Amino acid sequence: ARAQIGVTGLAVMGSNIARNFARHGHTVALHNRSIAKTDALIKEHGSEGDFVRTETIEEFVGALQKPRRVLIMVKAGDPTDAVIEELAAAMEPGDIIIDGGNALYTDTIRREASLRERGLHFVGAGISGGEEGALNGPSIMPGGPKESYAALGPLLESIAAQVDGTPCCTHIGPDGSGHFVKMVHNGIEYADMQLIGEAYNLLGSALGYDAGKIADVFTEWNGGDLESYLVEITAEVLRQKDAKTGKPLVDVIVDAAEQKGTGRWTVKSALDLGVPVTGIAEAVFARALSGSREQRKAAVGLASGVLADKPTDAAQFTEDIRQALYASKVVAYAQGFDQIAAGSAEYDWDLHPADLATIWRGGCIIRARFLNRIKDAYDENPTLPSLILAPYFRDAIETAIDSWRRVVSTATLLGIPVPAFASSLSYYDALRAERLPAALTQGQRDFFGAHTYERVDAEGKFHTLWSGDRSEVQV
Ligand code: NBP
């Protein structure tokens, strides 16, 4: 046996990761349910490194050095369970199975517990960066038993993206924590994309810019605080011309966004954890609304109300949008990190936000200059109550706040939807409010359900006898 790592599941992600391992000098055993994919990989890329071609699971497992390390890159869900079962039957105690697919973290918790009983190590590793990242350096979020990281970490770190000499891969925490963190990463990615979409829509609808001009704005923004992979590719997508019509490609793409589910998972988990991830939720709902094509068709032409004049100072309004985008993005990340803290507490994972900001600086879809600032903020204060309260972001929002309000109010007056900009601003205003209408909510709940309330001036729970003499009792 000579392979240091085995990869099973050789579709686009699996083959690119296998090539990435081989290019870094590791001998890689290859396996796929249908042999055609294994052969295609060896035929096209066999010269890139040392591959071991295998056909059966037994042959595959037999090709690996001990402790055996197998990375599964198959479709998430039932196929992953089927492959795990086959592998577990052929492997020995101490061997390591890594699931690099987009598994739901609760599935990872279940799988880890069941494999642990059989003496096997199970590592749920979130992998971000798409095809390109898989080949040239993804961001890797491995969760699972700490001891297995000793045998696995150096291998994974060698193929991960590197930023300032630091690999974008670190042990995240026990069982499902890696996939949980990857899920929230994807949720933040949804929010980021929605915010960029709203900025694009404002530049087009409020200022009348065409796709090419908007591309130039994003390119310029990418030279500053907003520098990120998503802003960079936004400019590229906007600049792309359609070969058939000569129009900007974006203008001939149907405006109905699809989703594979990780954003929805993030919001469902946030609901269970009681964390308000309004930016991510608005992004998931905005995609759903865009996809309600029949409803939208029927609603075109509905009253718009009195519309304001469009902004006259285009340069000022463009800067306002940039500031609003940045501030809303801070809110979306703050909410995502709140969810990570809540997950960490719920499952006893002891997650470190500064580590996550570090490994998201490269390789992954949300990689951005501003993650350095997030890392600094958590390095300085690991128990920061909210990212918004870190001095750097507090100042950034203070600088942006007037622009943010102008953008949300102008958009509202012009009838341009900005769900994520607006809800992020409302979240910020609610968070900083001294009093919230929740006091009335508590009064109503006590009225119809005797749910009790607390008082600002006394300890304990109280109830008003609403259907009696309306006196107050302590309960
Ligand atoms: P797919 O998600 O399209 O899965 C295709 C692979 O699964 C093929 O190798 C296929 O084998 C195998 N497979 C299936 Br389907 N059912 C199987 C079964 N019952 N037993 C054994 N193998 C089975 O591939 P992908 O797009 O490369 O993604 C791989 C994983 O990585 C997924 O979990 C995905 O969510 C995740 N991921 C993808 C991206 C991305 O950008 N695409 C990014 C990050 C993570 P076959 O060749 O025999 O049909």
Side-chain angles (χ1 to χ4, degrees):
R2 61 192 179 88
Q4 280 104 37
I5 180 102
V7 180
T8 181
L10 299 174
V12 46
M13 289 295 286
S15 21
N16 280 1
I17 288 190
R19 290 169 61 198
N20 190 347
F21 277 121
R23 288 175 176 190
H24 282 88
H26 308 296
T27 300
V28 188
L30 299 175
H31 178 268
N32 193 66
R33 178 178 60 177
S34 47
I35 293 153
K37 279 203 181 74
T38 314
D39 287 336
L41 173 54
I42 289 177
K43 183 160 170 259
E44 286 161 39
H45 306 287
S47 62
E48 291 176 12
D50 191 14
F51 295 107
V52 182
R53 175 189 182 278
T54 72
E55 293 192 4
T56 65
I57 282 280
E58 291 69 28
E59 207 188 328
F60 177 57
V61 169
L64 297 163
Q65 289 175 2
K66 294 182 188 175
R68 300 182 182 90
R69 291 163 290 213
V70 170
L71 174 63
I72 303 177
M73 288 305 296
V74 304
K75 209 177 183 64
D78 293 341
T80 304
D81 278 313
V83 174
I84 290 173
E85 201 34 60
E86 271 187 275
L87 280 169
M91 291 171 95
E92 289 174 329
D95 288 348
I96 306 168
I97 298 178
I98 310 123
D99 175 17
N102 267 336
L104 182 59
Y105 72 96
T106 45
D107 284 343
T108 305
I109 294 176
R110 164 179 63 76
R111 289 166 181 152
E112 197 275 332
S114 119
L115 288 172
R116 189 171 354 114
E117 272 181 22
R118 297 161 76 170
L120 293 163
H121 295 290
F122 184 69
V123 173
I127 300 183
S128 177
E131 295 177 39
E132 203 271 338
L135 183 62
N136 297 317
S139 176
I140 310 179
M141 296 150 248
K146 181 107 190 147
E147 59 269 32
S148 61
Y149 196 76
L152 186 63
L155 261 177
L156 296 181
E157 289 178 14
S158 73
I159 65 154
Q162 314 278 323
V163 175
D164 304 335
T166 305
C168 295
C169 172
T170 190
H171 181 247
I172 301 294
D175 55 73
S177 60
H179 277 136
F180 177 83
V181 159
K182 168 65 174 20
M183 175 191 77
V184 178
H185 161 287
N186 282 28
I188 293 173
E189 174 185 314
Y190 271 61
D192 223 337
M193 290 171 69
Q194 173 64 23
L195 292 168
I196 290 172
E198 291 178 17
Y200 151 72
N201 195 29
L202 281 164
L203 289 165
S205 304
L207 294 180
Y209 287 7
D210 63 15
K213 198 159 178 189
I214 302 173
D216 293 342
V217 172
F218 276 100
T219 299
E220 196 187 314
W221 288 354
N222 202 39
D225 291 336
L226 284 170
E227 183 189 317
S228 60
Y229 172 72
L230 282 170
V231 168
E232 183 190 328
I233 67 162
T234 298
E236 287 201 35
V237 172
L238 290 172
R239 216 165 265 133
Q240 181 74 18
K241 286 272 186 301
D242 174 40
K244 197 167 141 200
T245 59
K247 291 182 183 167
L249 177 67
V250 70
D251 293 340
V252 297
I253 295 179
V254 172
D255 60 347
E258 296 182 1
Q259 42 188 324
K260 276 176 132 178
T262 45
R264 192 164 52 231
W265 289 351
T266 312
V267 177
K268 281 185 179 173
S269 147
L271 290 173
D272 289 339
L273 293 167
V275 184
V277 290
T278 57
I280 302 171
E282 289 296 353
V284 173
F285 289 142
R287 287 199 196 186
L289 193 154
S290 77
S292 304
R293 290 162 75 174
E294 287 306 311
Q295 260 186 338
R296 286 178 55 201
K297 213 157 100 191
V300 167
L302 288 181
S304 61
V306 180
L307 298 183
D309 292 333
K310 294 193 170 168
T312 45
D313 187 342
Q316 176 62 52
F317 197 61
T318 303
E319 174 58 11
D320 283 347
I321 298 171
R322 189 184 74 86
Q323 295 283 2
L325 175 56
Y326 191 74
S328 304
K329 189 169 152 141
V330 172
V331 167
Y333 278 69
Q335 295 175 341
F337 275 92
D338 283 351
Q339 182 168 1
I340 285 167
S344 182
E346 171 76 17
Y347 295 101
D348 224 352
W349 280 332
D350 190 25
L351 302 180
H352 298 275
D355 290 356
L356 301 178
T358 303
I359 64 167
W360 289 346
R361 291 181 309 163
C364 64
I365 303 296
I366 64 170
R367 61 183 183 262
R369 184 201 281 194
F370 119 128
L371 281 158
N372 280 307
R373 303 279 86 82
I374 299 182
K375 175 188 177 312
D376 294 346
Y378 282 113
D379 274 343
E380 211 166 279
N381 181 3
T383 57
L384 202 57
S386 165
L387 195 57
I388 290 172
L389 294 167
Y392 180 87
F393 292 114
R394 199 187 177 116
D395 290 351
I397 292 182
E398 199 177 320
T399 306
I401 188 73
D402 292 357
S403 292
W404 202 4
R405 291 199 191 288
R406 274 197 295 272
V407 167
V408 170
S409 54
T410 305
T412 305
L413 289 172
L414 289 172
I416 301 168
V418 283
F421 276 8
S423 86
S424 303
L425 180 55
S426 280
Y427 172 88
Y428 174 75
D429 283 334
L431 198 64
R432 63 177 194 85
E434 269 178 49
R435 289 280 292 166
L436 287 171
L440 173 60
T441 308
Q442 285 297 82
Q444 292 164 326
R445 294 178 69 249
D446 190 59
F447 187 103
F448 64 66
H451 293 304
T452 76
Y453 49 85
E454 291 178 281
R455 293 185 57 97
V456 294
D457 55 2
E459 290 290 308
K461 299 265 185 199
F462 298 87
H463 169 57
T464 290
L465 302 168
W466 296 103
S467 44
D469 65 359
R470 303 214 164 179
S471 60
E472 185 179 72
V473 290
Q474 187 160 6
V475 288

